[in-house]
């Protein structure tokens, strides 16, 4: 009997449970995908470069798990509030409280099992599609990778089963604390905030103070490190809730008191709708603001890592390619590339030195970094220092006291021109034309070039590096330090980060959608009578529809503004990792705004279909 009542309860609130399921399925599927990408041992052992990505996806799983934990507790608590009246009626008809609590326990566990089955199924699909896409992006073999991976399946099922069990226990404890009368009259209780008074002023003060502390912690993350993350997490979360609880009711109250605004159309009704049950609305909107910050922040941070790859690569390697004594095959490979700068430098080699010709170097001075400061990273200039004849590269302990050292800029430039592996035991010495002609050593030629777009010719750079490894047999790829090898290293981390950020963002957006829809759509049934009354006294459907758009626009607007502010300030916490965390930051923000706007219009249409159905 209890099972039948439980199934009946699930069917009666099917729309609300579908909204919850959407968020749960998305979070479970993405959690499974992250764990699959991070735990495939055979695949990881076959591809040593996957190491940084493995850490990235484990970190994403942890963050998703923390947010999902609180989301499940909140969502199940909200669904419990919808069923309070129903449970009260069961108890009025003679049902024992422990039977009702067991009924709620069954529903929560059933919901968990359904969401886990659907989530794992979707997760396997994502692991197959996204995993293959990631491997194609990073250009490494997929041997040993399996989308259906038992260890990640076990971890996912155990973790989410524990979450649902804890949620079910908490719902039971909540039910045990309320009386039958509280359950029956739950739907008719109003929930208003006192706008005036010292309490509101204190809450407003502390909300701003906590947010400022949190923002300061994120800006100074390089100094505070892990401690800064904890400070920001606590202060920004609590500050956001206090801000909505103190300022949002005040804003609505001021709008409602403005006669010019309220007397226009049916704005009085719109503001009355917002003012109704405003306390629960503020808590929901604070939760939504935090989920928006996490969603937009995850997408923005992921794309920031990707956008900074070419900045990092250009900063560490000015020239795209450098070849000593280029072969006919190397010349043929480089022929289609458009170079904006290319130079050739002659040298001779004996048993002690590599002699570079001063006239060649001074005629075509190479590029070097403009300075050592962080803001100068990636900025270049031609070497402007004088190059004395007889100058030598550093010789360590065996340096002669009267040795002329290479000037700093030229020393930096020569590290590019003369990589350590070409003549590993020899030092560099600068000679003029007369001295060069008298040398009997073997003559060589070094060729360096910078193309119009490094990213456009990555396949060519890969071929050049492969030929260099054949030419210098003792050289290992990971120690080559070419621009392409650095690009592969940075790209391997950023690609995992951008995928993780995108899918974390999608998961958080799904949770945010669920939270806001819970509040708007589940409360829509109570608004039907008010809209029917307005229709009966002659208010046009167009005016009522316009009122809905205004009301829900304000509900959507405030958390979006605060969430985006959190993101824009929060990007500063990556400034000690990324050269420019705000590079093209508008792109992910615009992407989020478009998705958020689409979700807004869908919500309005769903709400409109409930409270203002089409007239026959």
């Amino acid at each position: 009997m209890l099972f039948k009542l439980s199934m009946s309860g699930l069917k009666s609130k099917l729309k609300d449970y579908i909204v919850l399921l959407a968020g749960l399925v998305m979070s479970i599927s993405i959690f499974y995908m992250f764990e699959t990408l991070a735990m495939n041992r055979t695949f990881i052992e076959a591809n040593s470069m996957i190491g940084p990505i493995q850490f990235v996806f484990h970190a994403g799983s942890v963050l998703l798990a923390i947010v999902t934990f609180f989301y499940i507790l909140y969502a199940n608590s909200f669904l419990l509030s919808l069923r309070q009246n129903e449970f009260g009626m069961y108890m009025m008809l003679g049902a024992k409280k422990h039977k009702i609590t067991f009924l709620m326990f069954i529903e929560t566990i059933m919901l968990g099992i359904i969401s886990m089955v659907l989530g794992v199924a979707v997760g396997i699909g994502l692991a197959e599609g996204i995993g293959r896409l990631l491997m194609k992006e990073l250009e490494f073999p997929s041997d040993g990778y399996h989308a259906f991976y038992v260890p990640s399946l076990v971890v996912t099922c155990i973790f989410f089963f524990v979450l649902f069990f804890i949620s079910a226990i908490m719902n039971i404890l909540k039910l045990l604390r309320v009386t039958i009368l509280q359950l029956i009259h739950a739907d008719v209780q109003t929930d208003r905030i006192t706008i005036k008074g010292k309490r509101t002023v204190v809450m407003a003060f502390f909300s701003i103070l906590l947010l400022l502390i949190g923002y300061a912690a994120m800006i100074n993350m390089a100094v505070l490190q892990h401690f800064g993350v904890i400070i920001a997490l606590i202060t920004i979360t609590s500050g956001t809730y206090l801000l909505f609880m103190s300022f949002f009711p005040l804003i609505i109250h001021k709008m409602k008191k403005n006669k010019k605004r309220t007397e226009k159309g049916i704005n009085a009704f719109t503001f009355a709708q917002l003012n109704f049950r405003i306390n629960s609305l503020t808590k929901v909107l604070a939760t939504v603001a935090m989920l928006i910050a996490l969603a937009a922040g995850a997408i923005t941070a992921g794309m920031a890592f990707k956008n900074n790859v070419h900045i990092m690569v250009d900063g560490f390697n000015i020239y795209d390619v450098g070849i000593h004594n280029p072969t006919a095959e190397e010349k043929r490979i480089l022929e289609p590339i458009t170079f904006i700068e290319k130079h050739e430098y002659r040298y001779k080699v004996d048993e002690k030195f590599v002699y570079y010709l001063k006239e060649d170097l001074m005629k075509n001075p190479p590029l070097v970094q403009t300075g050592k400061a962080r803001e100068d990273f990636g900025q270049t200039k031609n070497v402007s220092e004088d190059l004395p004849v007889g100058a030598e590269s550093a010789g360590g302990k065996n340096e002669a006291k009267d040795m002329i050292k290479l000037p700093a800029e030229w020393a930096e430039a020569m590290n590019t021109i003369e990589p350590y592996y070409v003549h590993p035991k020899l030092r560099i010495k600068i000679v003029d034309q007369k001295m060069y002609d008298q040398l009997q050593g073997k003559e060589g030629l070094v060729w360096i070039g910078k193309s119009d777009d490094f990213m456009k010719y990555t396949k060519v750079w890969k071929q050049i590096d492969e030929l260099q490894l054949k030419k210098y047999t003792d050289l290992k790829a990971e120690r080559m330090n070419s621009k392409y090898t650095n690009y592969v290293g940075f790209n391997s981390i950023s690609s995992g980060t951008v995928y993780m950020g995108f899918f974390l963002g999608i998961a958080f957006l799904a949770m945010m959608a669920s939270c806001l829809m819970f509040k708007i759509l589940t409360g829509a049934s109570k608004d039907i009578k008010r809209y029917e009354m307005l229709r009966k006294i002659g208010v046009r459907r167009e005016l009522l529809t316009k009122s809905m758009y205004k009301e829900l626009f304000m509900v959507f607007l405030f958390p979006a503004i605060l969430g985006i502010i959190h993101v824009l300030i929060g990007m500063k916490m990556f400034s000690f990792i990324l050269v420019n965390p705000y590079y093209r930051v508008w792109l992910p923000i615009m992407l989020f705004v478009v998705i958020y706007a689409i979700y807004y219009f869908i919500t309005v249409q769903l709400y409109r279909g409930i409270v203002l159905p089409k007239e026959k």
Side-chain angles (χ1 to χ4, degrees):
M1 186 63 183
L2 275 174
F3 184 78
K4 289 182 179 180
L5 282 174
S6 179
M7 292 301 100
S8 175
L10 285 171
K11 290 178 182 178
S12 66
K13 299 291 182 182
L14 187 60
K15 289 182 180 179
D16 302 320
Y17 280 103
I18 288 174
V19 173
L20 173 61
L21 272 174
L24 290 176
V25 168
M26 189 59 66
S27 61
I28 292 170
S29 62
I30 292 173
F31 184 92
Y32 173 82
M33 180 188 73
F34 285 175
E35 287 302 303
T36 301
L37 288 169
M39 293 178 66
N40 267 261
R41 286 189 178 180
T42 307
F43 172 61
I44 292 166
E45 289 171 0
N47 298 276
S48 58
M49 64 177 290
I50 196 76
I53 304 177
Q54 181 186 14
F55 171 76
V56 167
F57 283 112
H58 273 313
S61 298
V62 172
L63 178 59
L64 182 61
I66 293 169
V67 176
T68 304
F69 173 73
F70 290 104
Y71 167 73
I72 290 175
L73 293 181
Y74 174 82
N76 277 313
S77 176
F78 200 91
L79 287 173
L80 173 62
S81 67
L82 296 175
R83 303 286 303 282
Q84 287 184 110
N85 185 268
E86 181 183 338
F87 290 151
M89 291 299 296
Y90 290 159
M91 293 172 72
M92 285 290 290
L93 294 172
K96 302 293 183 182
K97 183 171 278 191
H98 71 273
K99 294 285 186 181
I100 301 299
T101 55
F102 186 63
L103 175 67
M104 189 64 194
F105 181 84
I106 292 174
E107 288 187 12
T108 306
I109 297 301
M110 284 296 296
L111 182 67
I113 292 171
I114 294 169
S115 61
M116 278 193 286
V117 171
L118 294 175
V120 169
V122 175
I124 292 170
L126 285 175
E128 177 65 29
I130 301 307
R132 303 294 176 188
L133 186 64
L134 182 60
M135 285 169 236
K136 184 178 179 182
E137 174 78 14
L138 298 177
E139 299 179 356
F140 51 71
S142 58
D143 300 337
Y145 177 78
H146 302 288
F148 180 76
Y149 194 61
V150 175
S152 56
L153 176 65
V154 172
V155 169
T156 303
C157 290
I158 290 174
F159 174 75
F160 280 96
F161 181 80
V162 170
L163 281 191
F164 282 106
F165 185 81
I166 293 171
S167 178
I169 295 298
M170 292 186 73
N171 282 340
I172 288 173
L173 294 175
K174 188 175 180 179
L175 267 177
L176 290 172
R177 286 198 302 265
V178 295
T179 63
I180 297 176
L181 286 176
Q182 286 175 324
L183 290 172
I184 293 173
H185 296 293
D187 289 342
V188 297
Q189 293 173 358
T190 58
D191 197 5
R192 297 180 180 274
I193 286 181
T194 304
I195 295 173
K196 297 179 182 180
K198 293 181 180 179
R199 183 184 175 188
T200 304
V201 174
V202 171
M203 286 172 61
F205 171 77
F206 275 103
S207 67
I208 295 172
L209 179 63
L210 287 168
L211 288 176
L212 290 175
I213 293 171
Y215 292 155
M218 290 193 292
I219 292 170
N220 296 285
M221 193 62 68
V223 178
L224 297 172
Q225 297 185 354
H226 299 296
F227 189 56
V229 175
I230 297 171
I231 293 173
L233 182 64
I234 295 171
T235 56
I236 290 177
T237 303
S238 55
T240 299
Y241 276 89
L242 289 175
L243 188 75
F244 273 96
M245 292 172 68
S246 57
F247 281 100
F248 185 66
L250 183 62
I251 292 169
I252 300 302
H253 181 72
K254 292 294 183 183
M255 287 181 174
K256 189 178 177 183
K257 292 294 182 181
N258 190 317
K259 289 186 177 181
K260 289 184 179 179
R261 188 177 284 111
T262 53
E263 290 175 358
K264 187 177 180 181
I266 56 170
N267 283 343
F269 171 72
T270 305
F271 294 131
Q273 284 282 92
L274 286 169
N275 198 53
F276 190 69
R277 296 182 185 276
I278 200 167
N279 189 30
S280 59
L281 188 62
T282 56
K283 293 174 184 176
V284 172
L285 294 186
T287 303
V288 168
M290 291 304 300
L291 286 172
I292 287 173
L294 288 170
I299 296 171
T300 304
M303 293 186 73
F305 274 88
K306 189 70 173 177
N307 291 333
N308 269 260
V309 168
H310 82 277
I311 299 176
M312 296 289 288
V313 171
D314 283 341
F316 283 104
N317 300 83
I318 297 173
Y319 288 95
D320 299 345
V321 63
I323 304 174
H324 279 248
N325 304 312
T327 63
E329 186 179 2
E330 288 170 335
K331 290 178 180 178
R332 178 185 58 79
I333 293 171
L334 293 172
E335 191 175 349
I337 296 177
T338 302
F339 285 96
I340 58 174
E341 186 166 342
K342 54 184 178 180
H343 305 302
E344 292 182 352
Y345 303 108
R346 291 172 288 170
Y347 64 86
K348 287 185 179 180
V349 181
D350 64 15
E351 295 178 354
K352 190 175 181 181
F353 289 104
V354 181
Y355 300 93
Y356 275 89
L357 186 59
K358 176 181 176 177
E359 282 78 2
D360 282 358
L361 293 167
M362 294 300 291
K363 184 180 178 181
N364 297 301
L367 294 170
V368 291
Q369 295 281 355
T370 57
K372 301 299 182 182
R374 185 178 181 83
E375 56 269 17
D376 295 328
F377 190 84
Q379 302 297 316
T380 60
K381 66 173 184 176
N382 291 102
V383 178
S384 57
E385 292 179 330
D386 185 33
L387 183 60
V389 173
E392 301 176 17
S393 59
K397 294 181 179 179
N398 298 322
E399 287 182 1
K401 292 182 179 180
D402 58 345
M403 185 187 82
I404 304 172
K405 290 186 178 181
L406 282 171
E409 289 185 3
W410 279 110
E412 181 184 340
M414 296 311 294
N415 285 333
T416 301
I417 296 170
E418 180 73 17
Y420 74 94
Y421 55 83
V422 179
H423 302 104
K425 297 180 180 180
L426 304 180
R427 290 162 55 201
I428 297 168
K429 190 169 185 176
I430 307 301
V431 294
D432 59 16
Q433 186 68 58
K434 184 179 179 180
M435 297 169 64
Y436 186 82
D437 293 338
Q438 294 174 353
L439 290 168
Q440 299 300 315
K442 185 179 179 181
E443 188 172 38
L445 178 74
V446 58
W447 189 96
I448 59 174
K450 185 176 178 65
S451 68
D452 59 334
D453 185 358
F454 173 82
M455 303 297 291
K456 189 164 64 175
Y457 307 109
T458 51
K459 291 182 179 179
V460 174
W461 312 135
K462 182 181 179 182
Q463 288 178 292
I464 293 295
D465 275 13
E466 289 171 350
L467 290 173
Q468 293 291 294
L469 290 171
K470 290 179 181 178
K471 186 183 292 186
Y472 305 101
T473 53
D474 293 335
L475 178 64
K476 294 183 179 180
E478 58 268 22
R479 295 196 62 197
M480 193 172 184
N481 198 33
S482 69
K483 192 165 186 175
Y484 178 75
T485 56
N486 283 333
Y487 161 74
V488 170
F490 288 125
N491 193 48
S492 66
I493 298 174
S494 66
S495 294
T497 306
V498 74
Y499 283 115
M500 184 202 73
F502 180 77
F503 284 99
L504 275 180
I506 294 297
F508 295 150
L509 279 173
M511 294 180 196
M512 180 272 296
S514 296
C515 289
L516 209 45
M517 276 190 173
F518 284 148
K519 180 60 186 174
I520 293 171
L521 299 184
T522 54
S525 58
K526 301 169 189 176
D527 297 334
I528 294 174
K529 292 181 180 180
R530 288 191 283 275
Y531 279 94
E532 283 180 351
M533 188 182 302
L534 289 172
R535 284 292 294 141
K536 287 177 181 179
I537 62 175
V539 179
R540 299 193 309 274
R541 288 178 63 90
E542 292 79 9
L543 281 176
L544 292 174
T545 301
K546 191 176 180 181
S547 174
M548 290 178 203
Y549 274 100
K550 282 184 181 179
E551 177 190 346
L552 296 184
F553 178 75
M554 282 185 278
V555 169
F556 275 74
L557 180 64
F558 291 110
I561 291 173
L562 189 60
I564 295 300
I565 291 172
H566 287 349
V567 172
L568 293 176
I569 297 175
M571 288 304 293
K572 284 291 291 182
M573 68 190 295
F574 297 106
S575 58
F576 71 101
I577 302 173
L578 303 176
V579 178
N580 183 5
Y582 292 100
Y583 181 72
R584 294 181 180 174
V585 72
W586 60 269
L587 186 61
I589 295 296
M590 286 302 299
L591 175 64
F592 166 76
V593 169
V594 170
I595 295 172
Y596 195 65
I598 292 170
Y599 165 60
Y600 160 70
F601 284 108
I602 291 173
T603 305
V604 173
Q605 294 305 314
L606 291 173
Y607 181 78
R608 181 185 177 186
I610 296 172
V611 301
L612 204 64
K614 292 182 179 180
E615 296 177 351
K616 296 181 181 179

